[in-house]
Amino acid sequence: MCGIVAAAANTNIVPVLVEGLKKLEYRGYDSAGIAVIGSSQIERVRSVGRVAELETASASTQSPTGIAHTRWATHGVPCERNAHPHISGSIAVVHNGIIENYEALRAELSAQGYVFTSDTDTESIAHLVESLLRNEPDLFTAVRLACRRLIGAYAIAVIDQRQPGKIVVAREGSPLLLGVSETGNYAASDASALLQVTRNMVYLENGDLAELTVGGVRITRLDGTPVERPVHVSQLSAAAVELGNYSHYMQKEIFEQPEALANTLEMIGGSKSIQPGMFGAEAGEMLADIDQILILACGTSAHSGQTARYWLESIAGVPCNVEIASEYRYRTSVANPRQLVVAISQSGETADTLAALRHAKSLGQTRTLALCNVPESAIVRESALRFITRAGPEIGVASTKAFTTQLAALFLLTLAVAKAKQRLNAEQEATFIEQLRHLPVAVNKVLDLENDIRDWAQRFADKHHALFLGRGRHYPIALEGALKLKEISYIHAEAYPAGELKHGPLALVDAKMPVISVAPNDELLEKLKSNLQEVRARGGELYVFADGDSEITESDGIHVLRLPEHYGQLSPILHVIPLQLLSYHVALVKGTDVDKPRNLAKSVTVE
Ligand code: AGP
């Protein structure tokens, strides 16, 4: 979604704001802006497009206090008029989130004579704070009173020309943290924006307000009660958010997968058995008592859940349902207090997944587990159990290493549940653990296919549609391949369980329709081969990702790339990698913006 940076320091902070926005640009990138305390009035620079354009436009702006924003449009089209910061009188505001009662506020403030110049919900916050400042001169108090009138999700930062050197920030539902240092104090949507100035981070809780000056920070709750929040020293390495030798973050993140998997699996160490404690202190007891699992997630995270369903039912013997979070939260469902509710999210701040988790809890389902890549996120904090994947920061909008590390974590969960249910003997457990341990090496070998995949990608550049096929636990991998291709190359792609083809989609197949098949050497391979023949018989061009030892051969219209080895239950983790590489290289050939595809944002903190 949108990204916020704010800084109060003893030198010019404009370069810090711009650099911070560059790090947050993955969150939203249709327009950007900064506002600083000027010599006589707020100085604001806004531009449509990327932060690089804002950097040029703000080159001559200087101030020790300011706020900045990169936007992903929700209310109002991307244009300069709708870009943040929004100004009312002497104050300027940036905002991430959605104000649900903005229409009522807009009507009320218009009646008071405020003139709205944008279509955004944020502008109502600016006018609301300005109206409160007429009776209450202290900015901190005015923002606190304003927040009490806001319904929805927000992280905001506010400055007032009449109170230079001061920034007031607040959060409810959208992420915001503080960076503290001797030479200045800062706020941002995530730590990557502030590593340039400090490693000392303070995570604000929902309902917190903070005042930042160069000399210090004070935090209260919305009712004014002072609170202390601990300072965490961020372990995030600056290199983790740099591109290094790669051309795009997506490419970097695809190639980081062996390391990300090794880090995520570190807790199994040299052990031959799974300890449920890796999911939280109460996990052992809880997992033994569950009779069902419900997985809630969106997008790529939902695909990892769909893959895990095959593992959980076949290995652990526990019934499992996977629901798209935005559907579950509004559906009348039958609650089961004994089921484990698993919320999967890379960011931990996806609004639909968070709301679905809360909905599940409101139905009395308190056995919850967050599977997440961001330890301090809302989804983690609101779940009873947790597993943090160690993928490192994922910047590319198209999720890659978050997906494979989620799969690894879900396989660990499968083993922990299977063990709790006494469905796993010591020998099976040791074999699975050994396979997990070997995964990073196996993934490395699959990455060696990149050159061949690059050649294939050339043939997709002029295509408008593509079909992905898979069966069994590789059907969700086909879904993920199709999502990756449409997300970054804008080619319409759909995925089907291969057996379903003849029930309709086969009508689409002709020489212009590439059909990509995930074809591991598993128990369904022979069935899949028949489905591929159905495609070939209609003139469809097949691109098959097979395993080294399978008997699929190249022939006219059937192109085959082989993964080095068949990997049994864990094969989906290997088979998704060529699909990630394919979509990456097709996007390169098409010249799209790989890391920031049109209309999308990295974490979707609105409904
Ligand atoms: C994947 O490439 C997407 N960008 C998207 O589907 C993403 O997985 C989804 O929005 C869920 O995000 P989360 O994992 O942060 O909750």
Side-chain angles (χ1 to χ4, degrees):
M1 257 6 3
C2 307
I4 290 176
V5 194
N10 51 16
T11 50
N12 174 28
I13 45 69
V14 173
V16 174
L17 295 179
V18 170
E19 190 53 35
L21 286 187
K22 285 184 185 167
K23 292 288 183 291
L24 294 184
E25 204 174 13
Y26 72 93
R27 298 178 64 85
Y29 37 82
D30 59 45
S31 51
I34 63 170
V36 299
I37 302 284
S39 49
S40 59
Q41 58 178 26
I42 295 263
E43 288 175 26
R44 174 173 65 176
V45 186
R46 298 184 290 179
S47 66
V48 176
R50 300 298 157 83
V51 174
E53 284 158 51
L54 180 75
E55 184 173 28
T56 312
S58 62
S60 59
T61 310
Q62 294 201 356
S63 173
T65 314
I67 57 179
H69 189 264
T70 176
R71 178 171 189 249
W72 186 78
T74 53
H75 293 78
V77 296
C79 63
E80 193 172 322
R81 190 171 56 82
N82 286 334
H84 301 211
H86 289 284
I87 288 182
S88 182
S90 64
I91 68 132
V93 175
V94 290
H95 163 225
N96 170 22
I98 287 211
I99 302 305
E100 288 171 9
N101 60 334
Y102 84 101
E103 278 171 337
L105 289 171
R106 199 175 170 112
E108 177 188 321
L109 291 156
S110 298
Q112 288 176 30
Y114 287 98
V115 176
F116 282 76
T117 57
S118 77
D119 307 317
T120 66
D121 51 344
T122 306
E123 195 179 356
S124 55
I125 308 177
H127 294 315
L128 181 62
V129 173
E130 208 281 337
S131 73
L132 290 162
L133 273 172
R134 293 183 177 189
N135 297 321
E136 170 49 71
D138 175 45
L139 181 65
F140 188 78
T141 310
V143 173
R144 187 167 67 75
L145 296 175
C147 288
R148 295 179 70 151
R149 302 261 345 257
L150 302 179
I151 298 173
Y154 57 82
I156 56 171
V158 189
I159 51 172
D160 182 357
Q161 177 69 27
R162 290 173 301 186
Q163 303 180 53
K166 189 190 281 185
I167 300 170
V168 179
V169 300
R171 83 161 277 201
E172 177 62 53
S174 300
L176 195 69
L177 52 84
L178 310 182
V180 293
S181 83
E182 304 261 292
T183 51
N185 291 301
Y186 308 86
S189 302
D190 82 41
S192 62
L194 300 183
L195 285 177
Q196 53 169 328
V197 281
T198 182
R199 289 197 160 272
N200 297 329
M201 309 291 172
V202 175
Y203 292 90
L204 296 180
E205 300 277 337
N206 281 334
D208 279 356
L209 254 90
E211 182 181 84
L212 320 179
T213 59
V214 64
V217 165
R218 74 172 163 119
I219 306 173
T220 75
R221 303 292 295 157
L222 275 189
D223 64 5
T225 315
V227 280
E228 295 283 333
R229 300 283 175 226
V231 177
H232 296 267
V233 180
S234 174
Q235 301 303 318
L236 195 63
S237 85
V241 289
E242 298 296 341
L243 251 187
N245 291 329
Y246 292 96
S247 309
H248 297 94
Y249 281 105
M250 183 181 180
Q251 185 193 29
K252 177 179 185 239
E253 288 156 8
I254 290 173
F255 280 87
E256 278 174 348
Q257 287 178 108
E259 193 189 343
L261 283 163
N263 291 341
T264 300
L265 294 168
E266 203 177 79
M267 53 262 294
I268 55 177
S271 166
K272 285 192 163 54
S273 74
I274 291 290
Q275 302 308 323
M278 68 176 71
F279 296 94
E282 301 154 43
E285 214 176 303
M286 208 184 275
L287 297 184
D289 196 43
I290 56 167
D291 63 359
Q292 201 170 343
I293 294 178
L294 170 64
I295 296 179
L296 303 171
C298 306
T300 288
S301 295
H303 295 155
S304 72
Q306 284 170 290
T307 312
R309 178 171 179 239
Y310 289 86
W311 293 332
L312 285 160
E313 297 212 342
S314 67
I315 301 172
V318 177
C320 176
N321 288 314
V322 185
E323 284 216 43
I324 297 296
S326 55
E327 287 295 310
Y328 174 74
R329 63 185 287 196
Y330 291 117
R331 189 169 77 77
T332 305
S333 54
V334 179
N336 171 5
R338 275 189 69 195
Q339 84 180 335
L340 177 70
V341 178
V342 183
I344 308 175
S345 173
Q346 186 284 130
S347 59
E349 60 175 87
T350 299
D352 284 322
T353 310
L354 180 59
L357 172 68
R358 288 177 179 159
H359 178 65
K361 285 165 68 177
S362 75
L363 298 176
Q365 303 169 126
T366 53
R367 295 153 186 223
T368 53
L369 164 67
L371 213 149
C372 203
N373 197 37
V374 181
E376 294 295 331
S377 60
I379 288 175
V380 172
R381 282 187 299 188
E382 296 191 22
S383 300
L385 303 178
R386 63 196 54 193
F387 185 98
I388 307 300
T389 49
R390 298 208 199 149
E394 191 179 65
I395 308 290
V397 165
S399 190
T400 52
K401 62 177 180 171
F403 180 67
T404 44
T405 53
Q406 283 168 356
L407 288 176
L410 285 160
F411 198 76
L412 290 174
L413 177 67
T414 303
L415 299 186
V417 176
K419 206 171 159 185
K421 299 286 177 196
Q422 292 167 356
R423 297 254 315 184
L424 202 62
N425 64 39
E427 195 188 332
Q428 291 165 322
E429 189 178 358
T431 307
F432 280 134
I433 289 178
E434 202 38 53
Q435 286 176 359
L436 279 171
R437 214 172 269 131
H438 181 60
L439 248 186
V441 175
V443 169
N444 238 333
K445 289 191 207 154
V446 179
L447 289 168
D448 288 343
L449 292 175
E450 188 183 23
N451 282 339
D452 297 317
I453 293 172
R454 194 183 282 123
D455 292 344
W456 276 17
Q458 301 292 337
R459 307 184 208 173
F460 283 74
D462 62 342
K463 304 291 184 207
H464 297 289
H465 309 277
L467 276 181
F468 285 72
L469 302 179
R471 289 196 79 132
R473 56 185 175 265
H474 294 86
Y475 164 52
I477 298 306
L479 285 169
E480 177 59 9
L483 177 61
K484 289 284 92 87
L485 192 69
K486 57 190 150 198
E487 200 176 13
I488 60 166
S489 74
Y490 315 148
I491 293 175
H492 167 230
E494 286 192 65
Y496 282 93
E500 186 66 9
L501 205 59
K502 56 189 175 294
H503 298 289
L506 199 54
L508 295 170
V509 171
D510 63 13
K512 289 191 208 137
M513 173 75 89
V515 178
I516 298 122
S517 179
V518 185
N521 199 5
D522 64 10
E523 59 286 0
L524 290 168
L525 183 63
E526 286 310 312
K527 304 272 175 214
L528 180 74
K529 278 159 92 175
S530 313
N531 304 139
L532 300 187
Q533 285 312 321
E534 291 160 9
V535 172
R536 200 50 214 129
R538 272 89 189 163
E541 190 101 347
L542 278 160
Y543 295 86
V544 183
F545 290 100
D547 287 338
D549 45 0
S550 77
E551 284 169 16
I552 295 185
T553 41
E554 290 245 8
S555 61
D556 190 29
I558 307 186
H559 314 279
V560 182
L561 274 182
R562 289 179 197 284
L563 277 67
E565 54 191 313
H566 177 57
Y567 219 75
Q569 287 283 358
L570 290 166
S571 161
I573 303 181
L574 299 192
H575 266 275
V576 76
I577 286 165
L579 304 186
Q580 297 169 344
L581 285 168
L582 181 65
S583 59
Y584 173 69
H585 283 289
V586 173
L588 284 192
V589 177
K590 293 198 72 179
T592 60
D593 192 340
V594 174
D595 285 332
K596 302 184 190 78
R598 69 185 180 201
N599 306 340
L600 300 179
K602 181 65 183 165
S603 44
V604 186
T605 53
V606 293
E607 251 199 275

